[in-house]
Amino acid sequence: MLLINNPPITPRENYIRAAKHRNPLWLPMKSDSVNFAPRIYPDNVARAFVVDGMPYDGPVGGADIFGVQWKYIDIAGGSMVEPGRPFLKEVSEWREKVCFPELDRWDWEKSAEENREFLNTDKLVTAWIFNGLFERLISFVDFEAAAVALIDEEQQDDVKALFQELADFYKRLIDKFVEYYHVDAIFFHDDWGSQRAPFFSLDICREMIVPYMKQIVEHCHKKNLIFDFHSCGKNEALVPAMLECGMDIWGGQPMNDKRMLVEAYGDQILIGIHCPYNQAVPAPENDEELYRQVEGFLAPYAENIKEKPFFLMDLKPDNRVREAFYKCSMKLLQK
């Protein structure tokens, strides 16, 4: 039997330990968690990402919770709002045109029953929330207008008022995930950058986004939830803002300097490191060589790994790879 299939503590407990910097026994892997994106939340259907207890073969795309229409793009494997036809012509229109859904009218009890077995796991259950603050603003007014609104003094108050309403709504939604599904973490989506740089400066992020995102994070912590931030782009310059919000985890994409991030911030936030093996780079077939390579991969982090652990964005490697990372990281963390 593989040791990783019979660990001394559950993957859930180990993941939580790592996120809270409380002596994990091994470096958690993304496969130690369960993604949960139930169909009851219309954004999951609109964004073409339903992951719950029953096979989903229904339509994808369509209206999100605010009636914004999303179109599924086959080549991208996801959905986008059709540009050039914004839901709002100006941000100030949100008070008249944006109608927040009444969550109590959704059949949460039925959804909870349908997902009971799916959520019966010893892994970290992570509920996805699509379309965070900036992403939601983009969906309302298109990207260019959203970016301008963050820095336009005449629009900033309207943006802040919208973000406050969104923060309050997301807190109510999180309450439902806790009450009916007993999730362990919230995986909150808000892309902040492109492949080369953030969409906005750290100062703008601190003024326009941090106060509202911080409320969401603090609400998660009051509910004893881990806050896992999904934010695509080269956003390493915005990590101080993530810390000010109190975020627990940020995976991040490979264009970010992960070694620098772990060294600079690894004692405050759990950073995701991409596994060296994937479809393009298979793991060596020889076990001795596999362990040699895994030890070499971990070596640059070894000196401070207890104070600055990270998690492995393992892209579903096979059991041999998982076992190698489990054993090698446990050896370093138990020294």
Side-chain angles (χ1 to χ4, degrees):
M1 176 184 291
L2 295 173
L3 292 180
I4 196 171
N5 292 335
N6 189 32
I9 61 176
T10 65
R12 172 190 286 113
E13 181 180 348
N14 190 68
Y15 222 124
I16 292 171
R17 283 192 185 190
K20 295 184 176 181
H21 290 80
R22 295 178 182 170
N23 303 315
L25 300 188
W26 69 92
L27 293 178
M29 309 173 202
K30 198 62 178 174
S31 53
D32 291 339
S33 67
V34 171
N35 295 328
F36 181 53
R39 67 196 69 199
I40 193 175
Y41 184 41
D43 279 21
N44 295 332
V45 176
R47 295 292 300 267
F49 196 84
V50 173
V51 181
D52 61 14
M54 299 185 299
Y56 184 77
D57 58 2
V60 290
D64 66 16
I65 56 173
F66 296 114
V68 175
Q69 293 292 321
W70 293 72
K71 182 179 181 181
Y72 181 72
I73 308 298
D74 286 321
I75 194 171
S79 303
M80 65 177 293
V81 175
E82 185 177 351
R85 301 174 61 185
F87 186 73
L88 305 176
K89 293 181 180 179
E90 297 180 359
V91 177
S92 60
E93 294 180 340
W94 77 264
R95 294 176 181 85
E96 293 75 38
K97 295 185 177 181
V98 174
C99 181
F100 284 78
E102 297 180 32
L103 294 178
D104 289 338
R105 301 183 67 176
W106 299 2
D107 196 344
W108 294 99
E109 291 185 359
K110 178 182 177 183
S111 179
E113 182 60 34
E114 291 172 345
N115 288 288
R116 191 177 306 281
E117 287 303 314
F118 180 76
L119 299 175
N120 182 21
T121 176
D122 64 358
K123 296 183 177 183
L124 189 84
V125 176
T126 303
W128 292 45
I129 294 182
F130 275 108
N131 301 340
L133 303 178
F134 186 59
E135 286 184 358
R136 189 69 71 182
L137 183 62
I138 294 171
S139 74
F140 287 154
V141 299
D142 285 353
F143 178 83
E144 183 178 353
V148 170
L150 291 184
I151 60 174
D152 182 357
E153 293 182 358
E154 294 184 359
Q155 299 186 72
Q156 286 178 327
D157 286 346
D158 288 320
V159 173
K160 290 176 181 179
L162 171 60
F163 284 176
Q164 183 61 65
E165 289 295 320
L166 286 170
D168 291 339
F169 170 76
Y170 289 132
K171 287 186 284 186
R172 295 194 298 272
L173 178 64
I174 289 165
D175 288 346
K176 296 298 185 185
F177 281 121
V178 172
E179 179 180 359
Y180 289 96
Y181 308 122
H182 311 294
V183 300
D184 304 302
I186 296 296
F187 193 48
F188 195 86
H189 281 239
D190 207 22
D191 291 345
W192 285 0
S194 69
Q195 187 173 0
R196 296 184 177 183
F199 294 137
F200 35 76
S201 70
L202 178 58
D203 286 343
I204 287 296
C205 187
R206 282 172 163 152
E207 178 184 359
M208 300 300 296
I209 295 178
V210 167
Y212 313 99
M213 190 72 82
K214 185 176 181 180
Q215 294 177 41
I216 300 169
V217 176
E218 289 179 345
H219 189 74
C220 286
H221 291 165
K222 288 178 183 178
K223 297 292 181 177
N224 201 30
L225 298 172
I226 299 297
F227 188 93
D228 188 348
F229 190 41
H230 171 100
S231 191
C232 289
K234 188 173 175 59
N235 295 330
E236 55 199 40
L238 299 179
V239 172
M242 300 178 196
L243 299 180
E244 291 166 23
C245 292
M247 296 177 181
D248 301 301
I249 303 174
W250 177 47
Q253 291 180 291
M255 75 278 291
N256 293 281
D257 187 342
K258 297 300 185 69
R259 190 175 300 180
M260 178 277 292
L261 289 170
V262 171
E263 181 61 30
Y265 307 111
D267 58 343
Q268 302 171 73
I269 188 170
L270 194 68
I271 297 294
I273 306 295
H274 287 79
C275 174
Y277 309 116
N278 51 44
Q279 292 180 348
V281 183
E285 296 183 2
N286 179 274
D287 282 351
E288 183 176 346
E289 178 61 18
L290 171 62
Y291 278 77
R292 187 190 69 80
Q293 290 186 13
V294 169
E295 289 173 350
F297 178 80
L298 296 176
Y301 307 97
E303 182 178 357
N304 299 313
I305 200 166
K306 290 184 180 180
E307 296 77 23
K308 300 176 179 181
F310 50 91
F311 78 98
L312 293 156
M313 303 175 72
D314 54 18
L315 307 180
K316 298 183 180 179
D318 60 32
N319 284 334
R320 289 177 58 247
V321 173
R322 294 176 63 242
E323 181 83 349
F325 275 105
Y326 173 80
K327 288 182 177 179
C328 293
S329 65
M330 180 174 281
K331 184 186 299 183
L332 291 175
L333 286 163
Q334 300 310 306
K335 280 186 177 180

